[in-house]
Amino acid sequence: MHDTGPIETQQAAHARAAPDAPVAVVDIGSNTVRLVVYDGYRRAPVPMFNEGAACGLGAELAGSGEIGADAAGRALRAIARFGALARGMGAEEPAFIATAAVREARNGAEFVRAVAERCGERVAVLSGDEEARLSALGVISGLPGADGIMGDLGGGSLELVDIRNGRIARQATLPLGILRHAGRGRAARRAMLEEIRAQLAELRWLKGGAGRAFYPVGGAWRSVARLHMARADHPLHVIDGYRMSVGEMRDLAEVMGALGPRSLEQIAGVSRRRRDGLPIACDTIRALLAATRAKKLAFSAQGLREGFLYDRLAPERRGEDPVLAAAMTLAARESRFGPVGGTLFDWIEPLFQGRRKGGRRLRRIACHLADIGWREHPDYRAVQTMNRIQRFPFMGLEHDQRGFLSYAAFVRYGGDPGAPEAQAAHRLMTQRQRHRAEVIGEAMRLAFRVSGGAPGPLARAALAIDRDRLTLALPDDGSMPLDEPLSRQLDALAAAAGMRPGRIVA
């Protein structure tokens, strides 16, 4: 038997793993059993493999109070397969964690014993408080300064946590999962909505969400976000970092609440097993917005599994910027001549002296991503790199920031700002963000023209600004290009920055 013990022991096994060794978590949920294998035990882990099996462990809880035999059989087969698969991928100690269905079922302990006997795996059954805490830590892992109410709606329960500037303040777990209420008629749903409101009213601390954010977590609410993206013709179908106003959510919830079974079947882009739960998900979030009086919704793709990993990081690792950490890891793997991001950031910084410091973080991240596209075909390098950055599974990156970083890389690789492929990035940004991205992109393009992408040569050249004129200083040893293409690139940067044509000093 592969006995990893309770939750603390399982987390300790992950903490001992080498940073680049695959890390696997098997989440035994009320609706789905899911395996996610990450690329290492790091600040910003990237999923390498993600597969779920719809087992419905919580489907009979509202009636019999037990896990059904068919559901248990499906789950046991999935768990056995996922354990073997995770180890075959190099994850030596997969963690198996179970939530509401196993926790609350009268035969939950019997199911856990069956997993141990038939699959050779030890399951850690999370308490409601532990499930809520780990889900909140998942949100915090992507948004270190998160401030608002997190709600994680699963098949068997609803976890609510008050997050105050990246710290957990209050939390609760309520028996309000999708599987408990799915399939009810409209009259029953109205009664259910009153039940939801009554339970939320008992949590007086929810009123502290007024004027702050609400962070929806869970597959049902991700489906709601996808619907809104489709209705709004949003140019980027990435859940994490997606924002909605409270008014937009209320309008969508009212529309979804009025749909019957036939209308729900016509909804595209949402799996069939999610469609039945959409009205419940919308009813629940509408009640939560009324109870919290939140001012906006910020969707997070991070939840319980990411919180499980984040919980075991050393405090100094938790304090790292997750996007910068991911960009630096990507650069270390894919830059041609070693990481150049730090040197590049210092090199372009004279262009931004005296400006607001708020842009420094994104400039630094853009510099670390500046050389990840060199393997692409030259004719497609700009577009491919832009698309990759827009859709990369960064943690906690808002959509306008994705547009900014991807567009800066597009310009860095010589992309035409007027090209049709750039329009999606334009729609994600303000005009001011677009201009700043173009300046950064042109500066990075000049830097790579000067140095070939190697940090050593780049450090021997320098940019300087004298009033409104840009000067490029080069060493006089003949190691740098003194040609017309370099002059044109310097002038392009000067024009983007609103300066007079530049000059080269050797």
Side-chain angles (χ1 to χ4, degrees), residues 105-348:
R106 285 198 297 263
N107 59 346
E110 178 183 332
F111 174 79
V112 170
R113 287 194 296 272
V115 173
E117 293 170 1
R118 301 186 198 179
C119 307
E121 309 291 0
R122 177 65 62 88
V123 175
V125 181
L126 302 182
S127 68
D129 285 347
E130 185 71 356
E131 183 177 356
R133 187 182 75 86
L134 293 179
S135 293
L137 287 181
V139 172
I140 293 168
S141 72
L143 298 168
D147 189 86
I149 306 296
M150 181 220 73
D152 186 351
L153 180 63
S157 63
L158 169 65
E159 279 67 52
L160 296 169
V161 180
D162 184 4
I163 303 174
R164 298 269 175 176
N165 295 316
R167 296 182 179 274
I168 295 173
R170 303 284 296 273
Q171 63 187 60
T173 297
L174 302 178
L176 296 174
I178 291 290
L179 290 179
R180 296 178 189 266
H181 305 291
R184 293 189 179 189
R186 291 189 180 180
R189 273 185 47 217
R190 283 194 293 270
M192 179 214 68
L193 184 56
E194 291 304 315
E195 175 188 342
I196 292 172
R197 289 169 176 163
Q199 292 196 40
L200 294 180
E202 294 182 8
L203 302 178
R204 298 187 181 277
W205 54 266
L206 288 178
K207 295 180 180 179
R212 298 159 68 208
F214 180 74
Y215 300 99
V217 175
W221 283 337
R222 285 196 293 271
S223 295
V224 174
R226 289 189 182 95
L227 281 177
H228 187 263
M229 289 177 179
R231 286 167 58 91
D233 191 27
H234 189 68
L236 181 62
H237 284 206
V238 173
I239 297 299
D240 197 57
Y242 188 61
R243 300 292 190 262
M244 287 176 64
S245 71
V246 170
E248 289 172 326
M249 185 69 249
R250 285 175 177 156
D251 291 345
L252 180 60
E254 288 180 8
V255 170
M256 294 305 304
L259 296 181
R262 290 185 179 179
S263 297
L264 286 172
E265 290 177 0
Q266 305 304 313
I267 295 176
V270 178
S271 66
R272 182 176 180 180
R273 66 185 181 89
R274 292 290 186 197
R275 288 175 195 157
D276 289 344
L278 282 175
I280 308 301
C282 289
D283 287 346
T284 304
I285 204 166
R286 187 166 51 176
L288 276 164
L289 292 176
T292 61
R293 292 177 292 172
K295 71 173 182 179
K296 63 180 179 179
L297 293 94
F299 287 84
S300 173
Q302 284 77 48
L304 176 69
R305 295 178 293 272
E306 291 74 21
F308 174 88
L309 299 181
Y310 178 79
D311 192 34
R312 306 320 302 165
L313 288 176
E316 61 271 18
R317 295 295 306 280
R318 293 188 204 175
E320 295 174 2
D321 183 319
V323 184
L324 181 59
M328 292 176 70
T329 298
L330 197 57
R333 291 174 176 172
E334 303 197 17
S335 296
R336 288 170 293 176
F337 310 114
V340 71
T343 304
L344 180 57
F345 174 79
D346 292 338
W347 198 83
I348 72 172

Side-chain angles (χ1 to χ4, degrees), residues 4-8 10 28 96-99 112 122-126 308:
T4 56
I7 183 85
E8 294 83 0
Q10 293 196 12
I28 305 170
F96 294 79
I97 53 180
T99 54
V112 170
R122 177 65 62 88
V123 175
V125 181
L126 302 182
F308 174 88

Side-chain angles (χ1 to χ4, degrees), residues 25 51-52 73 158 302 353 387:
V25 181
E51 182 178 320
L158 169 65
Q302 284 77 48
Q353 289 178 358
N387 289 339

